[in-house]
Amino acid sequence: MEMPKRKCELCSMDATHLKTDAGGVTHYYCHHHAPTGSQKIMGLQKSIKSFIPLIIIFAVILAFTIIVSLNHPNTDFMYVMRHFEGAFFVVFGAFKFLNLKGFVDAYQTYDIVAKRSRLYAYAYPFIEIALGLAFLTSFNLLPTSIITFILMLVGSIGVAKELAKKNDIPCACLGVAFKIPMTKVTLVEDVLMGVMS
């Protein structure tokens, strides 16, 4: 039984569980808000098709980085990494604004800081864009790199915990514009960005 268009009654995420009350009324919930005794109604598809938006956006960012690097007279590996990371954060941060509340709801299901602070979840896309612009303009690179490393480390912990529990939840890396499942790809993405910083 698959009902991908149903929404959680407590937030804006897609419903993944249902529960029928004593009066026979069925209520729908996301993974985060699913009450005890609820029944799972759908799973996120983890085929290559579900990762196509992520692959396309990654390819565009990579192409942008290569073009910028080829047109710069003093290109070195650090320059390329800075521009890749900068473009990555700006683009991924911007996608979260397409449905900011939806992103916050999704992000709070797995990030260890966002679970405790909704304000942090709302601030996260702004932080990403600020870091991206700092990398692209080479502004205060040491503090920018330290903040990025800490942010990615914290993000990796939350993702690793959910993967260990085998929870079937969406990845909020591109907000909720695309239904991308959380897999090891999400963890690799966080770790890669942390290592690059």
Side-chain angles (χ1 to χ4, degrees), residues 85 89 131 135 143-156 190-191 193-197:
E85 204 155 7
F89 281 127
L131 290 172
F135 279 118
T144 299
S145 296
I146 292 168
I147 291 166
T148 302
F149 179 77
I150 293 167
L151 206 65
M152 295 298 100
L153 177 64
V154 169
S156 299
D190 282 353
V191 170
M193 298 311 284
V195 169
M196 283 177 71
S197 69

Side-chain angles (χ1 to χ4, degrees), residues 57-66 68-69 77-92 132 135-136 189 192-193 196:
I57 291 165
F58 186 84
V60 168
I61 292 169
L62 188 59
F64 165 80
T65 304
I66 291 168
V68 168
S69 299
F77 187 64
M78 297 303 284
Y79 179 88
V80 173
M81 281 202 313
R82 261 196 330 269
H83 276 77
F84 178 83
E85 204 155 7
F88 179 94
F89 281 127
V90 169
V91 171
F92 276 60
F135 279 118
L136 289 172
E189 175 193 308
L192 177 66
M193 298 311 284
M196 283 177 71

Side-chain angles (χ1 to χ4, degrees), residues 91-154:
V91 171
F92 276 60
F95 268 102
K96 293 172 175 70
F97 284 103
L98 294 176
N99 181 349
L100 187 56
K101 184 184 181 302
F103 160 73
V104 169
D105 291 338
Y107 197 50
Q108 283 197 290
T109 64
Y110 64 88
D111 186 82
I112 59 174
V113 178
K115 280 182 179 182
R116 293 166 176 79
S117 171
R118 193 162 176 84
L119 180 62
Y120 171 75
Y122 269 106
Y124 191 81
F126 294 96
I127 295 168
E128 272 192 325
I129 289 176
L131 290 172
L133 293 174
F135 279 118
L136 289 172
T137 59
S138 300
F139 177 76
N140 284 337
L141 287 175
L142 182 58
T144 299
S145 296
I146 292 168
I147 291 166
T148 302
F149 179 77
I150 293 167
L151 206 65
M152 295 298 100
L153 177 64
V154 169

